[in-house]
Amino acid sequence: MAQVDVKQLDITKTNIAVQELIEVTDNPRHRYLLEAYDRHRNLEHAGRFQEIFSPEMTVEHPVYRFNMIGQPPMKLEGREQVEPLYRLWAETNQSIFYNEHETVAVGDWMVVSTMVGYQQTLGSALAAGGLEAEEDAMYLLRGRVAMIWPYDERCRLLGENVWEFDESEHDLIKLEPEDVVTTEQARELLEPFIKPLPPFDESLLPG
């Protein structure tokens, strides 16, 4: 069982590793990809998922793959499958994420990151997945996670590949009611960090 002070977790710091890398990235295409990555994650955590699917940010038919400990692998294809998951998370306060010890790398075609991640998760959802959880409680689901997000030539997201790779970090932390963050609260906190993407310039096409 991890010893975690949940009161020290700050959703406004969830993307700090991404933002720090943006500051030292000179390659224009890499910088643009990181800015898109940062914007996507903040929009998701703020419950503003519809904006993720703008044609400037995401291709028409993204493919998402998840492989998390204790759950069957999941593949979602197209907006018609991906958007309902975002909507469910936003409507049930499960779009709240925190990170620790994140490392981020960027190339011409992808952004890669590893972290100890937390997702605020309904006890009922955990119980339905076979985990020992009180159905009327809210938890933090903690795990060591890796993500590979591929992008097309115009820096539009092609999908997400997310998996939990270290069972020793997997944990459930029951939250007290006063420690639960709502989607509305997250939206207000993240508003200053959600920056518009600049228009895509042909000079950003890969060489």
Side-chain angles (χ1 to χ4, degrees), residues 55-105:
E56 296 79 21
M57 287 191 63
T58 304
V59 297
E60 291 184 6
H61 195 80
V63 177
Y64 283 51
R65 296 177 177 88
F66 300 103
N67 195 343
M68 311 304 285
I69 292 172
Q71 303 175 33
M74 179 190 306
K75 182 179 181 181
L76 303 175
E77 297 192 59
R79 180 174 180 172
E80 64 276 10
Q81 292 187 5
V82 176
E83 186 171 0
L85 179 62
Y86 282 138
R87 184 182 302 278
L88 172 66
W89 284 353
E91 291 178 348
T92 56
N93 301 322
Q94 295 183 97
S95 59
I96 310 304
F97 290 81
Y98 308 101
N99 289 340
E100 294 176 330
H101 314 301
E102 183 172 18
T103 58
V104 185

Side-chain angles (χ1 to χ4, degrees), residues 146-172:
M147 302 200 299
I148 298 176
W149 290 20
Y151 291 82
D152 74 357
E153 69 280 358
R154 301 190 69 82
C155 298
R156 297 176 301 182
L157 183 70
L158 292 167
E160 298 184 15
N161 301 282
V162 183
W163 69 98
E164 192 176 350
F165 63 89
D166 185 351
E167 192 164 354
S168 68
E169 295 281 0
H170 187 77
D171 202 3
L172 284 181

Side-chain angles (χ1 to χ4, degrees), residues 9-204:
L9 297 174
D10 183 350
I11 198 168
T12 68
K13 302 294 179 59
T14 295
N15 280 11
I16 192 167
V18 184
Q19 294 155 2
E20 289 175 347
L21 184 56
I22 289 171
E23 292 302 314
V24 297
T25 298
D26 295 325
N27 180 293
R29 179 175 175 85
H30 294 177
R31 186 180 179 89
Y32 190 95
L33 285 174
L34 289 168
E35 289 171 344
Y37 186 65
D38 180 61
R39 176 173 169 81
H40 178 123
R41 284 173 39 167
N42 278 321
L43 287 171
E44 179 180 341
H45 304 163
R48 291 168 50 180
F49 57 89
Q50 298 95 333
E51 296 171 66
I52 289 171
F53 296 100
S54 69
E56 296 79 21
M57 287 191 63
T58 304
V59 297
E60 291 184 6
H61 195 80
V63 177
Y64 283 51
R65 296 177 177 88
F66 300 103
N67 195 343
M68 311 304 285
I69 292 172
Q71 303 175 33
M74 179 190 306
K75 182 179 181 181
L76 303 175
E77 297 192 59
R79 180 174 180 172
E80 64 276 10
Q81 292 187 5
V82 176
E83 186 171 0
L85 179 62
Y86 282 138
R87 184 182 302 278
L88 172 66
W89 284 353
E91 291 178 348
T92 56
N93 301 322
Q94 295 183 97
S95 59
I96 310 304
F97 290 81
Y98 308 101
N99 289 340
E100 294 176 330
H101 314 301
E102 183 172 18
T103 58
V104 185
V106 60
D108 284 351
W109 298 96
M110 68 184 65
V111 179
V112 178
S113 61
T114 64
M115 69 204 75
V116 175
Y118 302 76
Q119 182 180 5
Q120 194 169 271
T121 307
L122 292 171
S124 57
L126 296 168
L131 299 176
E132 293 187 13
E134 298 176 21
E135 293 199 1
D136 59 350
M138 185 71 85
Y139 291 80
L140 289 178
L141 180 59
R142 180 182 190 269
R144 185 169 290 278
V145 176
M147 302 200 299
I148 298 176
W149 290 20
Y151 291 82
D152 74 357
E153 69 280 358
R154 301 190 69 82
C155 298
R156 297 176 301 182
L157 183 70
L158 292 167
E160 298 184 15
N161 301 282
V162 183
W163 69 98
E164 192 176 350
F165 63 89
D166 185 351
E167 192 164 354
S168 68
E169 295 281 0
H170 187 77
D171 202 3
L172 284 181
I173 303 160
K174 183 181 176 182
L175 292 173
E176 297 298 328
E178 63 269 19
D179 294 325
V180 175
V181 175
T182 68
T183 303
E184 290 74 21
Q185 289 170 329
R187 183 178 297 121
E188 183 175 342
L189 289 167
L190 292 172
E191 176 66 29
F193 299 91
I194 300 176
K195 302 174 182 178
L197 279 178
F200 183 85
D201 188 279
E202 298 297 317
S203 66
L204 298 175

